[in-house]
Amino acid sequence: MTAHLDQNATTAAAPEVIEAMLPWLTAPSANPSARHPAGQAAADAVRAARGAVARLFGARHPREVVFTSGGTESISTALHAATATRPGRRRLVTSTVEHSATLRALEARAAAGTHDLVLIGVDRDGRLDREALFAAIDADTACVCLLVANNETGVMFELEGVGAACDAAGAAFHVDAVQAPGKVPLDVVALGCHFASLSGHKFHGPRGTGALYVREGEPFLPWFLGGPQELERRGGTENVPGIVGLGVAARLAQKKAADPAAQAALAARRDRLEATLLGALPGAWIHGAGAPRVSNTSSFGYTGWFQNETAGAGLRPGTAPDAAPDAAPSVAPDAAAVLALLAEAGVEASAGSACSAQKSGPSHVLLALGRSPAEATATLRFSLSHGTTDAELDQAAEATIEALNVLRALDSLDSPDRVLDRG
Ligand code: PLP
């Protein structure tokens, strides 16, 4: 059996989603721009999906939704519209722990010399420095881009008041809500944002689908130029099967996020996994454990387990020390070694974000939390879905404990001096 605990990277499309999409994959002439009945049926299906995605966003009107190919496109589109409609404003404000889809897009503008980037830091648990944030929003600010929930740690930002501050300054506020659906209810009106981004494959919708919320009245310039599709906000023939599937996934996710019992069950499973790991591996910790987190994500740092058995003594169990202990140097292997053993045991997890898995080096998110490069690379991310079973969690916990014990024993064999150091 495979334990799928990499659900923040992507999720399987729900059976209901696939069932709804199938007829649209084979339907001839189903171009929503066509005047004939088949085209109009496709237009109706897109309209229904737009309503469902608008409800998932908590939007006031379906026309506030633009269908895209995913989170990255939505984010780049929002940034393009926000900056192109605010010429002369140079400042772009974001946090140090954003997804690379946001950071790279903002950095490109700074590198081109058109904008200045202001990075807002976070504390040891990943909470936003709100004082620095509000101080950075001014009449020169074009756009503020912030996550709802972090993809690596699950930490949720406190976003109250940011929308009002942006409105007062004439700046745009974009929220990256990609990791929210199914975990927390979204309410773009309460958030007061101008733009919000979603990605279908993160909540059991089809891959290659996404949506951008654009607040009614917000000026907009399209990123994809072409035909008049999406109320002239994104050129290109609509991906009707994908949009239909996204609509079904949106309905399912909205139901889950609004169901306290489903959320409590998900959080209880995640907490049980963490308790098992921390109980068996003293000195290990959970990044962001002291901050509000979405109920499915666990960022597990195991450096302390390799340092000595008493590392972390005096802390709340499972919380990270404020600074790397001076004592024994870290000999923790990086996550790639652990993931290889987990894969052999049929466990899918990741090291930080899936997007950073292809590039070497420590996670920028964990470094931003004040972790050392060694601590950041010695971290596993487990991410659950509502369908994750107790058997999958037991398999993952057992395999992780086994892998870290094996690697520590190997390290001891390789480094006899360090064994003596540890006493
Ligand atoms: N934002 C966050 C928080 C994400 O987790 C991801 C994907 O990992 C993205 C944006 C990019 O989404 P997509 O892969 O759909 O382009």
Side-chain angles (χ1 to χ4, degrees):
M1 182 184 85
T2 303
H4 302 284
L5 295 178
D6 197 13
Q7 307 272 343
N8 283 10
T10 197
T11 57
E16 299 93 319
V17 167
I18 295 168
E19 195 186 326
M21 288 173 71
L22 277 176
W24 296 103
L25 288 166
T26 51
S29 311
N31 184 327
S33 301
R35 298 268 170 230
H36 49 64
Q40 288 311 292
D44 288 344
V46 168
R47 200 171 299 117
R50 199 182 305 282
V53 174
R55 283 190 291 280
L56 177 64
F57 272 124
R60 288 198 173 93
H61 199 281
R63 68 177 163 262
E64 293 176 310
V65 173
V66 180
F67 290 117
T68 68
S69 65
T72 303
E73 184 194 324
S74 295
I75 292 167
S76 266
T77 303
L79 192 56
H80 167 73
T83 53
T85 58
R86 289 170 178 78
R89 286 180 178 241
R90 287 193 57 88
R91 182 173 285 190
L92 300 171
V93 180
T94 194
S95 83
T96 48
V97 297
E98 296 300 305
H99 190 269
S100 52
T102 295
L103 287 175
R104 296 294 92 81
L106 294 172
E107 285 164 3
R109 284 171 167 76
T114 56
H115 291 88
D116 304 316
L117 184 54
V118 178
L119 288 170
I120 306 298
V122 296
D123 69 10
R124 295 288 282 181
D125 273 319
R127 289 189 204 87
L128 195 60
D129 180 346
R130 283 173 52 90
E131 209 177 306
L133 171 67
F134 285 101
I137 303 171
D138 65 11
D140 193 33
T141 305
C143 192
V144 175
C145 301
L146 292 170
L147 283 160
V148 171
N150 188 279
N151 47 300
E152 293 191 32
T153 60
V155 171
M156 289 186 284
F157 274 164
E158 165 61 74
L159 297 175
E160 205 187 325
V162 181
C166 288
D167 272 336
F173 178 30
H174 167 260
V175 297
D176 175 348
V178 165
Q179 292 291 347
K183 303 165 204 167
V184 281
L186 268 174
D187 187 341
V188 287
V189 175
L191 279 168
C193 59
H194 304 84
F195 300 99
S197 292
L198 288 180
S199 175
H201 73 106
K202 304 289 187 182
F203 57 98
H204 303 286
R207 290 172 194 133
T209 64
L212 175 66
Y213 160 79
V214 184
R215 192 207 276 181
E216 184 95 304
E218 170 66 19
F220 191 83
L221 282 170
W223 181 235
F224 285 13
L225 298 170
Q229 292 88 354
E230 296 296 291
L231 295 173
E232 308 206 349
R233 292 169 304 179
R234 184 192 191 253
T237 303
E238 297 88 341
N239 169 9
V240 177
I243 289 170
V244 168
L246 183 67
V248 174
R251 279 188 206 103
L252 297 173
Q254 197 186 353
K255 230 166 140 182
K256 283 287 185 217
D259 177 352
Q263 292 308 319
L266 185 57
R269 270 185 256 127
R270 191 267 318 267
D271 293 348
R272 189 166 73 79
L273 172 68
E274 291 183 349
T276 308
L277 293 176
L278 296 175
L281 303 163
W285 64 74
I286 305 297
H287 297 288
R293 288 184 295 158
V294 282
S295 41
N296 81 315
T297 307
S298 185
S299 178
F300 173 70
Y302 52 82
T303 320
W305 161 245
F306 281 81
Q307 283 167 336
N308 57 56
E309 262 113 316
T310 55
L315 294 165
R316 272 181 295 132
T319 57
D322 281 340
D326 296 334
S330 168
V331 288
D334 79 21
V338 189
L339 290 173
L341 293 177
L342 291 186
E344 276 175 27
V347 175
E348 294 169 355
S350 75
S353 72
C355 303
S356 63
Q358 287 141 23
K359 67 170 203 222
S360 55
S363 141
H364 72 280
V365 172
L366 299 177
L367 293 180
L369 264 64
R371 300 290 145 226
S372 68
E375 289 168 337
T377 46
T379 292
L380 300 169
R381 179 186 69 181
F382 299 101
S383 46
L384 288 61
S385 79
H386 287 282
T388 301
T389 63
D390 286 341
E392 283 179 284
L393 294 172
D394 291 344
Q395 184 180 344
E398 210 172 287
T400 305
I401 293 164
E402 167 80 12
L404 289 174
N405 273 301
V406 164
L407 290 167
R408 198 168 106 152
L410 285 176
D411 173 59
S412 302
L413 289 175
D414 285 350
S415 315
D417 292 341
R418 283 183 179 153
V419 176
L420 291 177
D421 281 345
R422 285 193 192 112

